[in-house]
Amino acid sequence: MDVTLASYHTVMLRHGGPKTQILQTKKHLEKMGISVRLLDVWGSRDEILNSDLFHLFGSNHGMYDLAGYLNEQGVPFVVSPIYFTRRSAGTVRKAVTLTKAAGQAIRGFMSVSSIVNDICSWATHIVPNTSEEAKLIRDSFGIPDEKITVIPNGVESRFADATPDLFVERYGIRDFILNVGHIGPDRKNVLSFIRSLKSSDRPAVIIGQVHPSEEAEECLAEAKKNPNITIIDGLDHDDPLLASAYAACELFALPSKFETPGIAALEAALAGAKIVITPHGGTKDYFGDYATYVDPYSETAISAGIQEALSKPVDDKLAKHVLDNFLWEQTAQKTADSYAKILQQPLP
């Protein structure tokens, strides 16, 4: 079985979940004996299309032309949509209908919803990361259940062996509140997280690339007002300091507006951290009753959730739950099973 993985052009330039998802999927599928390559857009047409199946990561405008071309050529492809919105399925359906109507009058007019709709409609199969994402795609775009298989994101087992030593030696703090992610994008809600820490005397660390924006500037300005907050520029995913930070913190907070489910939160959980997280996007599929869920639109709720989680005793129940259910090896097996079913080919 030969599979090509593809995503939008900037995926390797960003520190983010999609990059991790692609590289870990490739690594563990190859361990199973499946031939996997990353799309090289500079190859010849025959070289590029010489694949049994394409797997696209993302259903945004950056993936639209490739998905449309594969559909035109009759090349089967699976898509991990990496898509979620707090808008209702009914609202999304109306947006798609209105976009189609507008497109008849204005050539080339598209919306986010119409792009996702087209890519999911063209796909041979859809593999969302959470049950909420699957429901949204089914109800918004009329995709039948048999065309959708939920395949969770994963985590590397190495995070279970992480120790706090490196981070404590470098920064001199431990048992702090940690957030890892981009600083600036509205969805990540870092500004509200920072403001929720005003009344806390616990040290907090934010590790993330700063995305130039007005919100990013506000985040940095608010953080400067709080002497308990340390901001560290984004670390490479393989940097031992990142794993050590997970192990050194007591609590990992990800009060985003939604997550599907937040790979960093899975990594921190496996390293032993308590988790405070948004309830939106399907996070409960992963963290069940082992996390504290907070309303991301309320700084008071975020603050209260953090204090509630800190007051709970430390245990290894969440770490064991993640280890038993969400390693990349398990995710890769489910992915490979989906490929085999689509192609009606046996696995190696």
Side-chain angles (χ1 to χ4, degrees):
M1 184 186 299
D2 296 307
V3 180
T4 298
L5 309 185
S7 192
Y8 47 91
H9 287 167
T10 58
V11 70
M12 293 300 291
L13 302 177
R14 302 180 184 275
H15 292 261
K19 174 183 174 182
T20 299
Q21 186 178 359
I22 293 164
L23 295 181
Q24 290 300 319
T25 297
K26 179 178 186 294
K27 175 181 177 180
H28 292 286
L29 288 176
E30 287 175 334
K31 285 184 177 181
M32 297 173 62
I34 295 174
S35 176
V36 183
R37 62 178 177 170
L38 302 178
L39 176 65
D40 177 6
V41 298
W42 300 107
S44 69
R45 180 183 182 280
D46 288 343
E47 289 171 335
I48 291 173
L49 296 181
N50 184 26
S51 190
D52 295 321
L53 183 72
F54 279 69
H55 187 161
L56 310 188
F57 292 81
S59 56
N60 54 31
H61 65 279
M63 299 304 299
Y64 191 81
D65 190 52
L66 175 60
Y69 184 81
L70 295 176
N71 177 61
E72 291 167 4
Q73 299 300 314
V75 177
F77 73 88
V78 171
V79 63
S80 296
I82 315 180
Y83 169 73
F84 195 76
T85 176
R86 291 295 314 282
R87 296 181 177 88
S88 69
T91 299
V92 175
R93 285 197 302 273
K94 288 178 183 177
V96 172
T97 301
L98 290 172
T99 302
K100 288 181 178 178
Q104 294 175 354
I106 307 172
R107 184 175 177 82
F109 181 82
M110 293 186 292
S111 67
V112 171
S113 299
S114 69
I115 289 170
V116 180
N117 175 74
D118 286 350
I119 293 176
C120 288
S121 297
W122 294 332
T124 308
H125 205 73
I126 303 165
V127 287
N129 298 139
T130 73
S131 60
E132 274 195 54
E133 186 185 7
K135 184 178 186 301
L136 178 67
I137 289 168
R138 182 194 68 210
D139 296 347
S140 298
F141 309 125
I143 305 295
D145 283 333
E146 58 268 22
K147 192 177 172 179
I148 302 173
T149 301
V150 176
I151 296 181
N153 256 316
V155 62
E156 296 167 75
S157 59
R158 66 184 175 90
F159 290 105
D161 301 320
T163 65
D165 303 348
L166 181 62
F167 191 89
V168 174
E169 180 181 346
R170 180 80 59 88
Y171 291 98
I173 53 175
R174 65 186 306 159
D175 298 331
F176 49 88
I177 300 163
L178 176 65
N179 172 276
V180 175
H182 300 303
I183 300 170
D186 175 71
R187 180 176 73 82
K188 287 298 183 179
N189 207 34
V190 175
L191 183 58
S192 292
F193 168 64
I194 292 172
R195 288 173 173 166
S196 77
L197 298 174
K198 285 180 181 178
S199 60
S200 174
D201 58 1
R202 184 69 67 107
V205 174
I206 300 172
I207 300 175
Q209 281 188 332
V210 177
H211 286 235
S213 67
E214 185 175 323
E215 178 152 338
E217 293 302 319
E218 287 188 74
C219 287
L220 297 177
E222 285 288 330
K224 284 181 180 178
K225 298 176 187 177
N226 190 333
N228 291 321
I229 295 177
T230 300
I231 293 183
I232 301 171
D233 195 18
L235 300 173
D236 286 338
H237 188 250
D238 292 333
D239 192 325
L241 192 62
L242 177 61
S244 184
Y246 290 144
C249 77
E250 179 175 347
L251 182 148
F252 183 89
L254 196 65
S256 311
K257 292 183 176 177
F258 60 83
E259 289 286 350
T260 62
I263 291 177
L266 280 176
E267 294 168 349
L270 188 54
K274 301 172 183 176
I275 302 297
V276 170
I277 197 165
T278 178
H280 306 302
T283 53
K284 292 182 180 180
D285 286 3
Y286 294 75
F287 301 101
D289 296 330
Y290 302 110
T292 300
Y293 299 94
V294 295
D295 178 3
Y297 296 93
S298 168
E299 293 165 18
T300 300
I302 296 170
S303 178
I306 289 172
Q307 295 309 311
E308 176 189 339
L310 287 172
S311 69
K312 294 179 180 178
V314 176
D315 63 47
D316 63 353
K317 292 179 181 177
L318 175 56
K320 186 176 186 305
H321 171 70
V322 173
L323 187 66
D324 290 344
N325 295 283
F326 298 111
L327 295 185
W328 281 114
E329 289 86 346
Q330 297 155 325
T331 292
Q333 182 63 61
K334 292 176 181 178
T335 303
D337 290 343
S338 291
Y339 293 168
K341 185 177 180 180
I342 293 164
L343 296 172
Q344 297 184 332
Q345 291 182 14
L347 293 173

